[in-house]
Amino acid sequence: MHFGQELPPRARGRRMVEEDDVVMAELGGTVKRETGEVMRMSMAEVFRMRDGKISERRAWVIELKENDFR
């Protein structure tokens, strides 16, 4: 899927939490749009592990408009 962005986005880890067989990672990042504008975003990845491998993955990306907390 293409949303008018140049790949790859730049991402940086903020925190990671593990409980039982679930690992959650919070990330922040940017991606340059084809217009030259830089989009800031907040991302989350949630993994369910089974036998040392990822058995389920869920991910969210939210565009940040005002500051890191909105």
Side-chain angles (χ1 to χ4, degrees), residues 28-43:
T30 59
V31 67
K32 189 174 181 182
R33 293 189 167 164
E34 291 175 343
T35 62
E37 175 189 17
V38 175
M39 181 180 89
R40 295 181 322 114
M41 57 195 152
S42 177
M43 299 167 278

Side-chain angles (χ1 to χ4, degrees), residues 3-37:
F3 295 101
Q5 301 158 347
E6 295 179 10
L7 298 177
R10 293 181 164 220
R12 64 191 172 284
R14 293 195 174 164
R15 72 178 57 106
M16 189 175 295
V17 179
E18 177 185 353
E19 184 176 318
D20 299 326
D21 63 346
V22 176
V23 177
M24 184 271 187
E26 177 188 358
L27 305 109
T30 59
V31 67
K32 189 174 181 182
R33 293 189 167 164
E34 291 175 343
T35 62
E37 175 189 17

